[in-house]
Amino acid sequence: MSHKHKIQQIIPDSIAAELGIEPGDLLLTVNAHEITDVFDYYFQVENEAIVLLIEKPDGEQWELDIEKGEDEELGIVFQESLMDRYRSCCNQCIFCFIDQMPTGMRETLYFKDDDSRLSFLQGNYITLTNMSKQDIERIIHFHMEPINISFHSTNPDLRCKMLGNRFAGKALQKVDLLYQAGILMNGQIVLCKGVNDGQELERSIADLTKYLPFLRSVSVVPVGITKYREGLYDLELFTAEDAAEVLQIIHTWQTRIFQDFGIHFIHGSDEWYILSDCALPQEVSYDGYPQLENGVGMLRLLIDEIKAELKQRSGDERHHKLSMATGKLAEPYIRRLIQNIQEKYPNLQVKIFPIRNDFFGETITVSGLVTGGDIYKQLVGQDLGDKLLISENMLKKDEPIFLDDMSMDELSKRLQIKVEVVASDGTSFVNAVVGVET
């Protein structure tokens, strides 16, 4: 039997727990059907009557007849979330960030995924070029949503050029199938100067409005350009004037779309507002923040949450001295937020250090790409106070290490100071600054 799926966790009080299934057991079949991946698993377990074949660590096999509610979960978490190998990307995108990374980093950082299953499970954005007819059918059958799609352009020829894949334009036809089936989607456009901006951006937005309301949001983000672009497509940085023009296009379309659909739909990431020195939109413009992972509205949400948190506090005279490392892009906003906190806690002393990105190059200014090595080199010997605060998005999601593999503990030991991770919500931010343990 070729497909055996190791069980990592059993949800307490679930069907699986009641049946005695345990971590370390192997799932062999469902309804006498071998399971190839997570979509296949969902297809088989949706029935109200199912039969599991489980293999225990000693080799004993259990056949379990189960009756359950139609939407009732079994409570099994598998060691491999996809129950299959990840599908690697078949594109050669002119803006690919992985192609711009230095050598010698951990192997997983060089893997390019373009897997529809990860779009559903983890929110990854996919180009559709790796999706088969069967993938589309399974998404529609199980109504798996939202599916996050990297559009970049709706001009078929330009999309082929940008993705380096002659089938990339035709792949957009799969969006029609998802739309016709009522599958919720989100989209993104990585904007490259002189390539898919200007009139091409106008065209893409106009074309994508056809998929409303099931395509519920589209983000526009500037291409990231590192210092490691030798031999790659010649891309330029956006200027402040360019950013203002991009926002003018976005805001014009937001007004039109809101009149017809009651949502703003097309959103610019925070970088455009900072680069152009335009005021951030108010909360209502973000339609409930569906694009936070793309940096759309992160600053507005943090500002509003901190404002609401401080409104509930009376403040005090506590003395506290600390420092904070941030990306250069958000530094002016972080500084103002610290000043707001100091209005209620006047004896707080906070030094803010915008970290220059020497690892990827100074053109990279977001905090999520700050490395431990750059923090250490720029802060060693500085008076950092009682502790150093860093944003959680500087670290790997499942492990306290930076992109350059320096651990948080190593940074703390080398700087000889406590390093504390700050979650991205306003309450956590204020608590970390004022010294409240969470």
Side-chain angles (χ1 to χ4, degrees):
M1 196 168 292
S2 57
H3 294 96
K4 295 184 178 183
H5 303 286
K6 191 169 185 178
I7 295 171
Q8 182 178 47
Q9 180 186 355
I10 298 297
I11 305 301
D13 302 320
S14 64
I15 294 173
E18 292 176 3
L19 291 172
I21 302 174
E22 298 175 313
D25 291 349
L26 300 175
L27 173 68
L28 303 184
T29 64
V30 182
N31 302 327
H33 180 89
E34 282 195 38
I35 302 300
T36 56
D37 66 8
V38 67
F39 279 7
D40 200 19
Y41 173 74
Y42 283 138
F43 179 82
Q44 294 297 328
V45 301
E46 74 166 344
N47 299 315
E48 295 182 7
I50 60 176
V51 179
L52 299 186
L53 183 60
I54 298 291
E55 183 175 291
K56 305 300 273 186
D58 62 3
E60 182 183 1
Q61 293 187 0
W62 291 7
E63 187 173 273
L64 303 171
D65 292 294
I66 299 171
E67 292 189 5
K68 65 180 187 62
E70 184 178 357
D71 297 322
E72 193 174 4
E73 297 282 350
L74 295 181
I76 299 175
V77 178
F78 293 96
Q79 183 171 294
E80 300 292 338
S81 60
L82 291 186
M83 304 175 74
D84 189 21
R85 289 182 298 176
Y86 287 45
R87 293 179 190 168
S88 61
C89 183
C90 59
N91 304 316
Q92 297 293 326
C93 297
I94 63 173
F95 50 83
C96 180
F97 195 84
I98 293 176
D99 289 341
Q100 305 177 68
M101 294 206 298
T103 59
M105 302 174 72
R106 60 180 178 269
E107 186 177 347
T108 54
L109 292 175
Y110 298 103
F111 181 77
K112 303 178 184 181
D113 75 72
D114 193 26
D115 200 311
S116 59
R117 299 166 296 184
L118 287 175
S119 182
F120 170 67
L121 292 171
Q122 299 179 13
N124 293 18
Y125 279 77
I126 57 171
T127 65
L128 305 173
T129 57
N130 259 350
M131 290 187 71
S132 66
K133 180 181 178 181
Q134 184 185 24
D135 290 332
I136 294 288
E137 290 173 349
R138 289 195 292 179
I139 288 171
I140 292 172
H141 176 79
F142 295 114
H143 216 79
M144 292 180 174
E145 57 185 14
I147 297 297
N148 297 328
I149 300 170
S150 292
F151 288 103
H152 308 313
S153 174
T154 57
N155 178 338
D157 292 337
L158 179 56
R159 193 169 195 260
C160 290
K161 172 187 173 181
M162 291 188 70
L163 271 60
N165 185 326
R166 62 192 179 97
F167 301 109
K170 190 176 181 181
L172 288 172
Q173 296 173 9
K174 297 168 186 174
V175 182
D176 295 319
L177 299 176
L178 297 174
Y179 170 76
Q180 290 161 11
I183 301 296
L184 290 180
M185 298 171 278
N186 295 301
Q188 72 169 358
I189 295 172
V190 174
L191 211 62
C192 300
K193 185 174 179 178
V195 180
N196 61 335
D197 55 349
Q199 290 184 349
E200 288 293 346
L201 177 60
E202 293 262 17
R203 169 182 173 154
S204 292
I205 297 172
D207 287 346
L208 292 174
T209 59
K210 296 185 305 183
Y211 300 116
L212 279 156
F214 299 119
L215 179 60
R216 60 183 186 175
S217 71
V218 177
S219 61
V220 181
V221 301
V223 62
I225 300 177
T226 79
K227 63 184 181 182
Y228 301 99
R229 286 200 59 83
E230 186 175 350
L232 300 178
Y233 189 94
D234 187 18
L235 292 174
E236 297 180 54
L237 291 171
F238 286 97
T239 65
E241 292 76 16
D242 296 329
E245 291 176 8
V246 170
L247 289 178
Q248 184 177 9
I249 291 173
I250 289 173
H251 293 159
T252 300
W253 275 99
Q254 283 183 336
T255 301
R256 294 181 195 171
I257 295 168
F258 188 81
Q259 290 173 348
D260 294 331
F261 293 93
I263 62 172
H264 297 82
F265 181 66
I266 186 78
H267 304 277
S269 63
D270 292 353
E271 294 108 304
W272 299 114
Y273 293 95
I274 298 172
L275 180 57
S276 64
D277 199 27
C278 291
L280 293 171
Q282 296 301 309
E283 178 186 6
V284 67
S285 297
Y286 289 107
D287 299 336
Y289 300 107
Q291 294 268 359
L292 278 176
E293 291 296 320
N294 264 335
V296 176
M298 290 182 70
L299 283 173
R300 167 52 61 200
L301 182 60
L302 182 62
I303 290 168
D304 289 352
E305 286 182 343
I306 290 176
K307 182 179 178 181
E309 182 67 26
L310 290 174
K311 192 174 182 179
Q312 301 176 38
R313 301 189 181 212
S314 57
D316 56 45
E317 299 297 320
R318 71 183 65 191
H319 289 263
H320 193 44
K321 187 176 181 181
L322 69 147
S323 52
M324 177 177 290
T326 183
K328 295 186 73 173
L329 189 71
E331 184 265 341
Y333 291 88
I334 298 298
R335 192 171 297 279
R336 285 196 287 271
L337 291 172
I338 294 296
Q339 291 170 352
N340 292 339
I341 295 172
Q342 288 171 323
E343 290 175 6
K344 293 218 168 177
Y345 300 90
N347 293 323
L348 292 179
Q349 298 180 50
V350 185
K351 284 188 177 181
I352 302 169
F353 293 94
I355 302 300
R356 183 183 63 253
N357 201 317
D358 294 327
F359 189 87
F360 287 109
E362 292 188 43
T363 56
I364 300 298
T365 57
V366 295
S367 61
L369 294 174
V370 169
T371 62
D374 281 345
I375 295 175
Y376 169 72
K377 291 172 186 175
Q378 293 172 45
L379 298 191
V380 64
Q382 298 276 1
D383 180 9
L384 302 177
D386 303 319
K387 65 180 178 181
L388 171 67
L389 302 181
I390 62 169
S391 171
E392 66 177 350
N393 66 0
M394 294 181 181
L395 301 173
K396 195 177 175 200
K397 283 187 177 181
D398 57 350
E399 196 175 351
I401 58 174
F402 296 88
L403 276 168
D404 58 356
D405 282 343
M406 180 182 286
S407 70
M408 196 175 73
D409 286 344
E410 182 183 353
L411 178 64
S412 179
K413 290 175 183 176
R414 294 179 69 175
L415 289 176
Q416 298 184 338
I417 192 172
K418 178 184 179 183
V419 178
E420 183 177 320
V421 180
V422 183
S424 56
D425 64 283
T427 300
S428 297
F429 188 98
V430 175
N431 283 340
V433 173
V434 302
V436 175
E437 294 294 332
T438 57

